[in-house]
Each structure stands twice: as C-alpha cells, then as structure tokens.
Amino acid sequence: MKTKLLPLAAALALALTGCSGPGPGAPEKGLDDPAKKDIAMRLVSSAENSTLDWEAQYGYIEDIGDGRGYTAGVIGFCSGTGDMLKVVERYTDARPGNALERFLPALRAVVGGDSHEGLGDAFAEAWARVADDPAFRRAQDAERDETYFDPAVSRAEADGLSALGQFVYYDAFVMHGYADAKGTVGFRTIRAEAVEAADPPSRGGDEEAYLDAFLDARVRAIRQEPSHSDASRVETAQRVFVHEGRLQLETPLVWKVYGESFRIDGP
C-alpha cells in the first residue's frame, strides 16, 4: 500500500508548493517578512522610479518639478522636506569627510522649499558618486525604515491590517508624509477620513471595505496637489490588489502606474 501512496503524496506536495499564497492554516506574514518587504520596495520603486529594481536607485537624483527640490535615492528623499538632509547627516556620522558632508549647510538652508542654492550639479554628481558606498546605502535604509516603513507598518498592524494594508499605509507615508504640509494632505488626515467612512479590522470592520475607503481618501489627497494629480498609483495598482483580494500580496501581482505595466511573479 505504501508504494502506491507515495506517488500520490509526491504529486500533492508538488501541487501545494506551486501555490504562491499561504496554504490552509499557514501563518499570515506582514511586511516585516523579508520577502514581503522586498515586494513592497519593488512596488514603491515602480511608482517612484519606473522600475522594479529598487536596489539600483541609491544613486538616483533629479528635480521632478513637484516643489520639493531634489528627489533622490531608494524612496525619493527630498531636499525640500528634510529627509534628504537626515540621510546625509546619518551618512556623515558613519563616514566623516564623505563627498556629501560639505553640502550639509546648504541642505539645511533649503528645507521647506524647492531651491537648489548651494547644491546644483556638484551635489547631484556627489550623490550619484557615493551610491555604491555601503555606509551611504545603510543611511538611506535607516532613514527609510525609521521615518516611513516602521511607523506605517506599526500603525497598520494596530489597525488590524494584513500585508496589503501595511503596504498601502507605507506607500502613503512615502508619497504624502505623516502630517499635512503647505499645499499637501498627509497620511494622518488620509487615515482620519478613512476611519470616518469605514471601520478598520481592529474595530470589527471588513478590511477590503476599509482599504477602499482609505484609497478614496488618498485619491482626494493626490488630486489636491497639482504635481501629483495622476492617481494611477492607487487606481490601477493598489485598488486592483484590494479588489482581487490579495490581502497577503500574493503573487502574481500585475498592475499599471503612470501608464507603465509591471508584474511580480514571485519573491
């Protein structure tokens, strides 16, 4: 009997391992899982850099004309919002005398606006030149996690959200910041509007309904910013995942953002 059952068992095992989602009874994983976090980074990179290769973006830098000065690095740190300054300060703490240190006074002076004064091509070239320095990469990773990723995931977990909901919060943190700023609507206000419209799972609500409400609020926030009026980052990407029920970010993930198509087949 055992010799007849072994091929069937093997076939079942192969069938099960071919599924991308968790099997029955398997524990759900949040974005603190390395594979899920990598998917989140690729999703953000598709919107920020038009590529899934987020690890190639440490040296990226340009002014995209959104009123925030230079945008650079793995999640689009901005000279005008102050997180770029924090990256360079972290880098200088770890690597005194680095090529970006001399720009610290200028970076402090341009926070709150879109000025390039004291920066310019020399700064952009220096940023790109140090992109392969492990200390510079660690500085970007640390600022990303401390200011955006960790707070977003923590708030999402408190709201009872799955991996998809955690990503939805994280991407909102990246694009909008936590608090409202002049001419912008931050994550805090977006979430407050969502909670008014639907209960999160932590209050007994349906997760998909709540995420739809959150994305509705986010679209309104995007459309209040002239430089961010295109809401495809939500409507043809995150909203698609919600309606497909991919609450664990189960692959394959297929989406469009800013007119470009992307696909993730696995970790």
Side-chain angles (χ1 to χ4, degrees), residues 33-52:
D33 175 74
K36 298 290 186 185
K37 184 173 184 178
D38 182 68
I39 288 175
M41 298 306 149
R42 286 190 275 172
L43 289 167
V44 168
S45 186
S46 73
E48 293 286 334
N49 303 103
S50 300
T51 177
L52 298 183

Side-chain angles (χ1 to χ4, degrees), residues 39 42-43 46 51-52 241 246 251-256 260-266:
I39 288 175
R42 286 190 275 172
L43 289 167
S46 73
T51 177
L52 298 183
F241 304 153
R246 297 183 184 273
T251 55
L253 294 169
V254 181
W255 73 100
K256 291 183 179 181
E260 296 186 76
S261 297
F262 297 94
R263 180 185 180 100
I264 295 176
D265 286 310

